[in-house]
Amino acid sequence: MISPISPDQTPIGSGFGPATTAAEAVRGIDLRGRVAVVTGGYSGIGLETTRALAEAGATVIVPARDRIRAAAVLAGLDRVELEALDLADAVSVAAFARRFCQSGRPLSILVNSAGIMATPLHRDADGREGQFATNHLGHFRLTLALWRALRAAGREAGGARVVSVSSRGHQIAGIDFDDLDFERRPYDKWIAYGQSKTANALFAVALDRRGREHGVRAFSLHPGQILTELSRHLSAEEIAAFDALDAEGRPRIDPSRGMKTVAQGAATSVWCATSPRLDGLGGVYCEDCDVAPVHDTATGRRGVHPWAADDALAERLWSVSETLTGVSLP
Ligand SMILES: NC(=O)c1ccc[n+]([C@@H]2O[C@H](COP(=O)([O-])OP(=O)(O)OC[C@H]3O[C@@H](n4cnc5c(N)ncnc54)[C@H](OP(=O)(O)O)[C@@H]3O)[C@@H](O)[C@H]2O)c1
């Protein structure tokens, strides 16, 4: 049973579109004095997000699994700080959040961009399926552990925003609450990815409900199709099947069909994190720098599937996530 979807889940005519870049999305917005955390902020879409937020004046903290690689990639960027974090490791997530909260800094922007896609079956230390554990449960733990800092920024002008980088891949699968971890059904790497990306969108719905009275708003988004390291677990044939490469083997760029440069791919993350056009809104799924429509046969591949925008499913996922992680909001 799918419950009614928020009337806010409707395009607002932002004036931006599929070809907008991250730099264009943040142009004219002054982030000096504000602090952002970008998970996965040293690769692909996350790296471009880090760059755009830092260039707009924010201090950007990039928590990385591989700090040596991250340091090399981020060298030369002003106002970027490196930290250690493995989202699949609850101890590491708690330690990062504790260090951040001890700094006493309010957290204005949290972009949950890190992710893995279509991996072979693996499990975390608790036995949870790896894509769900990394993409959803890791960010669930992280966001709740940073809640105090988000609340502190929520009391300031501009408030706080949490941005979950979901995917159009959420249309592949909703949440199977009876077998989240593929214990009773055969593992399918795409269904597992779709489930985790639906979880990212539902997380924004439930988080926004809890945050809005405290000035903390949440959004989710589809960035577009961008050739990055995310495809590291795909074969050459699988990548070709996405029509991702041109005849010369270069990434095909056609934003009108969703095939974007990395700078275009980061634009919706940056727009969700900073646009004044989203003031007063939250809990919505965005694409192409606008609030997305609800997906139906008329929207083609665009939009959010009802199973990723449903309040009751969002609440159910929140409650299950609390149980699985043992963490709750204070
Ligand atoms: N690219 C696309 O076409 C596309 C389309 C739709 C949605 N998305 C979403 O966009 C987000 C970013 O993807 P991308 O294309 O930028 O991919 P990417 O270049 O592979 O970046 C992913 C980042 O996540 C980090 N990460 C992975 N597992 C982690 C863990 N356990 N702990 C901490 N960090 C971890 C990676 O670090 P390591 O390098 O150290 O592993 C990397 O920095 C993902 O959530 C993805 O689902 C991408």
Side-chain angles (χ1 to χ4, degrees):
M1 243 299 261
I2 304 281
S3 47
I5 290 168
S6 162
D8 290 340
Q9 188 62 60
T10 306
I12 58 172
S14 69
F16 291 128
T20 302
T21 64
E24 288 163 355
V26 77
R27 186 166 294 153
I29 296 175
D30 184 358
L31 298 178
R32 279 177 299 176
R34 306 189 80 196
V35 176
V37 169
V38 181
T39 70
Y42 60 116
S43 179
I45 296 161
L47 172 58
E48 281 302 312
T49 303
T50 298
R51 188 173 284 134
L53 296 177
E55 283 174 358
T59 296
V60 186
I61 292 145
V62 176
R65 269 204 295 201
D66 183 342
R67 288 184 66 169
I68 293 174
R69 185 156 54 84
V73 170
L74 296 167
L77 283 185
D78 291 335
R79 291 177 295 280
V80 175
E81 298 173 17
L82 256 183
E83 266 284 353
L85 171 75
D86 181 350
L87 283 165
D89 175 352
V91 175
S92 164
V93 175
F96 165 70
R98 192 165 48 247
R99 288 193 300 278
F100 182 84
C101 290
Q102 279 168 353
S103 77
R105 294 187 282 186
L107 179 57
S108 302
I109 296 170
L110 170 59
V111 182
N112 288 328
S113 190
I116 51 175
M117 180 179 79
T119 58
L121 178 61
H122 64 288
R123 298 184 183 281
D124 72 4
D126 298 327
R128 309 267 82 87
E129 185 280 314
Q131 297 191 68
F132 187 75
T134 302
N135 297 351
H136 171 60
L137 292 177
H139 285 125
F140 182 87
R141 285 191 173 97
L142 177 68
T143 307
L144 271 61
L146 291 170
W147 187 242
R148 200 152 43 92
L150 288 164
R151 286 271 309 263
R155 288 190 284 274
E156 297 179 341
R161 292 192 186 170
V162 178
V163 177
S164 292
V165 182
S166 175
S167 167
R168 183 167 287 166
H170 81 270
Q171 295 174 0
I172 300 169
I175 310 283
D176 184 341
F177 287 100
D178 294 326
D179 189 14
L180 279 173
D181 294 312
F182 294 83
E183 284 164 333
R184 289 186 290 284
R185 53 181 167 153
Y187 179 68
D188 179 309
K189 65 186 182 181
W190 287 113
I191 291 178
Y193 182 65
Q195 172 174 265
S196 75
K197 291 289 129 178
T198 290
N200 289 156
L202 290 175
F203 176 57
V205 173
L207 182 69
D208 190 72
R209 174 194 285 261
R210 286 156 177 79
R212 62 178 77 128
E213 69 181 289
H214 304 295
V216 182
R217 304 307 304 255
F219 301 88
S220 67
L221 66 102
H222 170 60
Q225 182 181 313
I226 305 102
L227 207 56
T228 66
E229 288 297 308
L230 191 67
S231 57
R232 70 187 87 174
H233 297 288
L234 303 185
S235 65
E237 292 72 31
E238 285 173 304
I239 292 176
F242 280 105
D243 198 23
L245 301 175
D246 65 16
E248 280 76 47
R250 291 177 306 231
R252 198 187 291 287
I253 304 301
D254 182 354
S256 65
R257 291 171 59 212
M259 298 151 123
K260 302 187 182 186
T261 64
V262 182
Q264 292 164 341
T268 306
S269 295
V270 169
W271 185 74
C272 286
T274 63
S275 174
R277 294 293 313 274
L278 288 169
D279 286 350
L281 284 173
V284 291
Y285 172 98
C286 300
E287 56 191 2
D288 295 337
C289 292
D290 205 333
V291 179
V294 177
H295 174 73
D296 64 19
T297 45
T299 61
R301 298 190 60 223
R302 296 191 61 224
V304 61
H305 193 289
W307 64 39
D310 178 288
D311 254 339
L313 293 174
E315 288 306 313
R316 187 170 177 196
L317 177 66
W318 186 279
S319 159
V320 167
S321 305
E322 286 182 320
T323 306
L324 295 179
T325 60
V327 297
S328 297
L329 286 181

